Structures are given as structure tokens and as C-alpha cells.
Amino acid sequence: MNGDSFSRFEDQIQRLVEGGFARLFAGTLHPRELVNRLSRAMEDNATSGPDGEMQAPDVYVLRLNPRDHRTILENGEDVIERLAGELVEMARISGLKLSRVPEVRLLADASVRAHSVSASAQHTTSRRDTTQAMPLNSLKADAEHANSPSAVLIVNGNQQVPLDKAVVNLGRQRDNDIIIDDPTVSRHHAQIRLRFGSYVLFDLGSRGGTTVNGNTIQEKVLQSGDVIGLAHSSSLLYLEDGVPDEDSMDPLDDTQAYPPSKL
């Protein structure tokens, strides 16, 4: 991993530590340790394909202390899906290819101490199959964009941004997909992720909080017409199936894009 990739990987770890993973694994695992072990397993087991490009493993096994294993599974959230999504992003940052969406297995193992994790990775695809491995951007488009809604965000009443990625990051820092130039907005404030054909908004542990239609949220499935608030100062309108007319984009007439009671 070169210097630029390492920097991006560290940013990813920080995002997970501050965001949803911190809540997902609260009281069991530390997100930084989990991500570091998964990344090490990925890179240590990467192999060179017939085309000379490095291929990431497609199966990952996490061994947990039985008590931690039970706590995580009882949490009721989509742990497996979220871990697989982060593995796709790790591979992209590391410059590795994936033959398919990674498979993640969580196993209870009494030999693993509490609040720790053991990670291993392997390939299940044959050498013949690796010649047809898709670039990660194609993999994500096929796996996560199938049946996705046509949606846009109207940012502060005057900027229209189409949601054409499976993961869209919002915040003040310049590496976000949507940059909000507002000192009250956190560097990595929120994230919109495509899940099961719907866009879901996540607050990433921001200081100012994230709201939908005036209600503070940690995670929320978005509906067309929802007004997203970042730190109670910046507003975004989520719309599906159609582009608003020019009047609704007029920054001098915000009442057409945002009901006054929602700002």
C-alpha cells in the first residue's frame, strides 16, 4: 500500500471509529482493531492472477469470543452486509480486484480472548475464474445498484447532486463526495448508503447531529421529499424519480424546496 492509499485507509478507519461501527460493535470489539485485522488478512492472502493483477480473497472468517459473538448477533443489525461493504472499499483503496462481493463468516471460538478478534481470508474462485474478475467499480455497480431508485440531493437550495454511487459521504473535509462548506458541519458528518434498493442515511458520530424532517437520527431509510439537516444549519432535499423544476432550485426562494417548519 503506497503513501496515498495508506492515508485514505487511515481516513476510512477514522470514519468507522467515529461512525456506525462504533455503535455496531459497542462493548465488544474496537473498530480499529477489526478493520486492521481484516485489511491484513486481505493483503497477506492476495494472489497474482493470470493477467498480472493482484486478486483479493473473497471469503473472510472472523473468530470471536463466544460472548462477543452472541452479543453481536443479538444486536440485530446487518453486520455481515456492512462488513462485506467495507471489504469492497478496502480492496479498492489497496488496488486489489475482487471476483465477487466478499463472503463474511462469524464464528465463535473459545480460544479468542474477550473483545478481540482473529481474522483469516481465502480464495474460493478457481484460477480460471480469476481471469474474469471485474474491477471494483463494476462489481459495486452490479451488486449494489441493481433496482436502485433514481435520486438526487438538492444542497442548500441551489446545487443538484445525483446519487449515482452506492456510498456517498457528506462533510466539511475535501475528500467527501458532497462537500459542505460550513464550520458547524463535521469533517465526515454523514453517509448515504444504498441498501436493498433504498438509500439509507447514517450519521457518522457528528458533533452537530443529523436530522430528517426535523427529527434527530442515527440511521434512516430516505423517502422522496425528506429534508436532511446537518448540524441544524445546512439542508438537503432528497428526491426520487424526477428532477425538480427551476423554481424549486431558486436559492432565493427556499420555501419551495424546504418547508419552513423543517429548516
Side-chain angles (χ1 to χ4, degrees):
M1 189 181 297
N2 60 36
D4 183 57
S5 295
F6 183 79
S7 176
R8 284 183 286 139
F9 182 65
E10 282 295 302
D11 287 343
Q12 181 191 13
I13 292 177
Q14 188 61 32
R15 174 176 59 79
L16 294 174
V17 169
E18 294 176 350
F21 267 27
R23 294 184 294 273
L24 192 61
F25 296 104
T28 54
L29 308 177
H30 194 285
R32 180 176 291 273
E33 179 184 3
L34 175 62
V35 175
N36 278 331
R37 289 187 182 276
L38 281 172
S39 175
R40 189 176 303 119
M42 174 183 286
E43 295 192 344
D44 287 350
N45 292 280
T47 59
S48 179
D51 56 3
E53 295 192 72
M54 295 302 292
Q55 182 88 18
D58 58 354
V59 176
Y60 296 79
V61 178
L62 295 175
R63 298 182 181 276
L64 310 166
N65 179 274
R67 180 173 296 179
D68 293 336
H69 181 267
R70 182 171 58 253
T71 299
I72 290 173
L73 293 184
E74 288 176 350
N75 196 315
E77 297 195 46
D78 51 344
V79 180
I80 301 298
E81 181 200 6
R82 295 190 64 181
L83 286 172
E86 295 304 334
L87 284 165
V88 170
E89 182 66 10
M90 288 180 203
R92 184 188 68 80
I93 292 174
S94 300
L96 302 174
K97 294 174 69 175
L98 278 167
S99 59
R100 63 187 180 100
V101 176
E103 177 184 347
V104 180
R105 303 170 184 170
L106 298 181
L107 302 180
D109 188 335
S111 68
V112 178
R113 70 178 187 276
H115 310 313
S116 187
V117 59
S118 170
S120 59
Q122 63 187 42
H123 297 262
T124 58
T125 54
S126 68
R127 179 70 64 169
R128 178 184 60 191
D129 293 335
T130 61
T131 61
Q132 301 179 11
M134 293 181 292
L136 284 178
N137 57 355
S138 298
L139 177 70
K140 292 174 75 174
D142 289 344
E144 300 181 17
H145 279 183
N147 301 319
S148 64
S150 174
V152 297
L153 287 177
I154 310 300
V155 182
N156 289 330
N158 58 15
Q159 179 186 4
Q160 178 180 308
V161 181
L163 294 180
D164 54 6
K165 298 171 60 178
V167 179
V168 176
N169 292 300
L170 303 89
R172 193 176 74 250
Q173 192 157 299
R174 310 306 293 181
D175 61 353
N176 287 285
D177 300 294
I178 299 177
I179 300 168
I180 308 295
D181 189 14
D182 182 334
T184 65
V185 172
S186 297
R187 291 179 303 164
H188 297 99
H189 194 106
Q191 182 181 90
I192 296 175
R193 182 184 290 270
L194 184 61
R195 272 167 57 186
F196 301 114
S198 297
Y199 284 106
V200 184
L201 174 68
F202 297 90
D203 180 82
L204 298 180
S206 66
R207 286 179 298 178
T210 301
T211 63
V212 173
N213 301 329
N215 300 311
T216 300
I217 62 96
Q218 296 297 326
E219 176 179 340
K220 178 74 168 63
V221 177
L222 293 173
Q223 304 291 330
S224 188
D226 280 346
V227 178
I228 301 168
L230 304 182
H232 304 287
S233 58
S234 294
S235 295
L236 304 91
L237 176 65
Y238 174 82
L239 294 173
E240 292 181 2
D241 298 324
V243 178
D245 58 31
E246 292 183 359
D247 288 341
S248 68
M249 294 284 292
D250 185 353
L252 300 180
D253 189 6
D254 289 341
T255 60
Q256 296 186 42
Y258 305 107
S261 62
K262 304 298 184 183
L263 292 177

